[in-house]
Structure formats: C-alpha cells, structure tokens
Amino acid sequence: MSPQQQTQVQVTKFSKLPKLEGLEVIKGDVPQPKEGEVLCQIVLRPVNPTDVHAIQGLRPIGPHHTPHIAGGEGVAKVAKVGKGVTSFKEGQRVVGIPWPGLFGTWQQYRTMPAESLMTVPDKLSDQIAAQVWVNPLTARGLLDAGQVPKGEYLIQTAAGSTLGKMITALAKHMGMNIIDVVRRSAQKEELQKLGAAAVIATDKEDLVDRVKEITGGKGAYAAIDAVGGETTKQVALALRNGGTVYMYGALSGDPIQMDTLDTLYNFKKVEGWLLGNWLSAQKDLKATVQEVLQLLTDGVIVPESGDSFPLEKVHEAIAESLKTGRKGKVFLAG
C-alpha cells in the first residue's frame, strides 16, 4: 500500500545560482491513479544541467509556471495501476517516454498515463535506467544532426563530460570519425580508448591548427558544441566551408562568438539543437527509445554514475553536480 504523504522538491519561484532560494523540500499528498494511469514510485533521479536551468527559469521549453515539482527524468517502480491498465503490473521498473513536460520527477510518487511509460530491461541498473531520457537520447540525436558522410570528421566540445563520453563511444559504434575537444591533457587517454579518432587538449594544443592537420587541411565537416563563447568561434574556424556548429549547451555562460569574415566568406553558421525538437521529428518515438535501451543493454553506451543524495539534500546534490572534474552523474535517491 502506498503512503498518504511524500517528499517533494518544489520550485516555489525561479531563483539563481548559487543559492537557489526558490527551491524547497516540502511534503505533499500521494496521488491515486485514474483510469488509464499508473502510480509510479520514483526511486532514482539524475541531476542534469537542464534541471538546473529549469529551476532558474532559463529553459525555453519550460516549465514557465511556479510552483512546480522539479526534475526531468528518473526510473520508477509501478506502485499501483488504474482501471483498464493491463500493460503494467506492480513492481515493474519503468521510465517515462518522456515524463510529461520534462518536470515532476523530484518527488517520490507521481501518476503517469500508461502509454507514456516503457518497461526497463532487467539487465540495466537503476543508475543507468534513470539516465535513459536526456543523455543517451541526446547522444543519438546529436550524431544525426550533422549528417556527416563516411570518412569525414565531426568535432565535439566538452568531450570529457558524461554525455561527451557517450557520444564518443556511440560514434565509434556507428563508424563515425569524431574529434574530441577537452581542456586538459589528462582527459585524452580515456577518450582515445573510447574510440575518438583524435583528441585535442586546448591546454597544450591549438584547436584550429590541429583540426586542419587531422583533416588534411579540409576542416571538419560539422561540430556539436556545448560550451559557447570563444570556443564556438574556434570550432567554427576549424570547419570546412559551409560547415555548421550545432549548439546544444552553454557551459561557458558567455555569448556565442564568431569570426565575421570567416562566417561571411566561408558560409559558416551556428544552429541551435534541442532534444525535444529531434524527438518530435521521430516517426516512432517508442522505437527510438527502444533502440537506445538496447544500446545501453549491450554496453555500447555506458553512463557514468556518481554520488547519490536524498531528496532532502537537493541543494548539496546540485552543488556537487556543478563541480568541474566531477566523476559521473549525481543522483537524488529515495
């Protein structure tokens, strides 16, 4: 039997780092599933950059209202099924595809439409299953973005991140040449083992010169950039004529920079990329998620897992997730 009360992490108002004073731990009622719904007991949730953006009101796709329950993904167990639900039974592990609105998982219980859930393969740990939605699907979508022909090169920045490592491993699996860009030379060996065609450490190497050397002077075909600022400018300079930088993050916090003449005469461009837009273009979303689940089950993509914090220590969890050089994804458990 489900309890009547639960712990929730609520955004009472949008607020800024580092305090995030609008983020509060509260007690709320446990809902009951209506016809066609499933009551999910959420057991583990990653702390993603997009969650931190949403808490501050910075995520364009919302949520745009307060109060609301934070958190965009996680893994759950079926606690109870509503009338007419035959596809799930109590105790099964499930993930949302997606969790509606990409918020509401930083609580212990929530109801979901049965058609918005998918069961988790037994082989996957909770730590991996909790990360299915944002990072693995983003990795798959970003490698589609540039439509890089065989034999050409794709640049990715922030390659030492959890997502960056997934992208490198998946690129190798798909037979793509990827040039990983990192800030520290100490990060090179791990990415080379994962299958990067080349790794450029900007603490000791010039990004543009090295890319031109690797590509025989042609430049890379396209790039995926999570950093912004001066990095975007350097990446664009390293592309072929007509190349595109696909922006999917803003880790530097600085405005995008571009070389005016290079952009004008060599037809370079920057294009924003959002997971939601890519998913909306998928003809069969469940098949796409199933493909990624299989990649995770087969060990092609191996998400890194870090420390776990109880929901009550959400502020500590966020602070840990923002640390440079942190190993693995931070979670909220319980």
Side-chain angles (χ1 to χ4, degrees):
M1 180 179 292
S2 304
Q4 293 183 325
Q5 289 276 295
Q6 63 165 321
T7 302
Q8 300 171 309
V9 178
Q10 180 175 265
V11 180
T12 59
K13 64 178 181 179
F14 296 125
S15 53
K16 303 300 180 186
L17 289 167
K19 291 186 177 181
L20 297 178
E21 66 273 10
L23 191 66
E24 298 181 1
V25 178
I26 64 170
K27 292 294 182 180
D29 294 333
V30 174
Q32 292 301 309
K34 300 175 183 177
E35 184 173 354
E37 291 185 339
V38 173
L39 177 63
C40 298
Q41 179 186 358
I42 306 170
V43 295
L44 199 66
R45 318 138 188 89
V47 179
N48 291 313
T50 51
D51 296 320
V52 182
H53 290 162
I55 291 165
Q56 298 175 85
L58 300 177
R59 194 170 65 178
I61 61 172
H64 301 296
H65 65 280
T66 58
H68 69 264
I69 304 302
E73 66 174 338
V75 62
K77 290 181 180 179
V78 174
K80 189 175 181 180
V81 296
K83 182 179 178 182
V85 175
T86 58
S87 49
F88 297 100
K89 59 184 180 181
E90 291 184 17
Q92 282 185 306
R93 291 190 305 155
V94 292
V95 292
I97 52 167
W99 298 94
L102 291 181
F103 66 93
T105 61
W106 290 8
Q107 59 184 330
Q108 293 175 301
Y109 293 88
R110 73 171 292 177
T111 55
M112 288 280 289
E115 65 268 19
S116 295
L117 292 170
M118 181 174 282
T119 55
V120 175
D122 292 338
K123 187 177 178 180
L124 293 186
S125 67
D126 284 346
Q127 287 80 5
I128 292 177
Q131 299 182 66
V132 165
W133 189 255
V134 175
N135 278 351
L137 281 165
T138 295
R140 183 66 187 85
L142 282 169
L143 291 178
D144 270 356
Q147 297 294 306
V148 179
K150 189 174 180 62
E152 298 289 346
Y153 289 84
L154 175 72
I155 299 172
Q156 81 149 330
T157 64
S161 68
T162 299
L163 174 56
K165 292 171 187 176
M166 289 187 200
I167 291 170
T168 298
L170 186 54
K172 180 184 179 182
H173 177 74
M174 296 172 64
M176 295 177 63
N177 295 323
I178 194 161
I179 300 173
D180 283 342
V181 179
V182 293
R183 290 185 293 176
R184 297 177 289 113
S185 298
Q187 298 171 285
K188 294 181 70 169
E189 184 178 355
E190 182 179 10
L191 292 166
Q192 288 165 342
K193 288 179 179 178
L194 286 172
V199 185
I200 300 170
T202 56
D203 61 349
K204 294 184 178 179
E205 301 171 276
D206 183 88
L207 192 158
V208 179
D209 289 346
R210 279 290 288 129
V211 171
K212 293 297 176 73
E213 179 184 338
I214 293 162
T215 61
K218 293 194 305 181
Y221 192 85
I224 51 179
D225 180 23
V227 180
E230 172 69 17
T231 297
T232 306
K233 176 182 174 181
Q234 295 300 312
V235 168
L237 286 167
L239 296 182
R240 67 184 174 95
N241 289 359
T244 299
V245 181
Y246 295 91
M247 294 296 309
Y248 72 97
L251 293 176
S252 72
D254 297 326
I256 292 169
Q257 296 182 33
M258 292 287 283
D259 183 287
T260 303
L261 294 180
D262 182 58
T263 304
L264 178 62
Y265 290 112
N266 295 323
F267 310 107
K268 307 288 182 66
K269 65 178 180 178
V270 178
E271 184 175 311
W273 188 94
L274 286 175
L275 175 61
N277 291 349
W278 180 76
L279 291 172
S280 296
Q282 302 305 298
K283 293 181 180 179
D284 188 340
L285 180 56
K286 284 196 173 183
T288 300
V289 176
Q290 190 61 55
E291 176 192 352
V292 169
L293 282 171
Q294 193 62 52
L295 290 168
L296 290 164
T297 302
D298 293 343
V300 174
I301 303 174
V302 183
E304 291 184 312
S305 299
D307 295 332
S308 293
F309 295 78
L311 286 168
E312 291 83 357
K313 294 188 176 181
V314 61
H315 286 273
E316 293 178 36
I318 291 173
E320 180 66 23
S321 77
L322 296 173
K323 288 182 180 178
T324 302
R326 160 186 57 81
K327 288 290 185 181
K329 184 65 69 176
V330 173
F331 295 98
L332 289 167

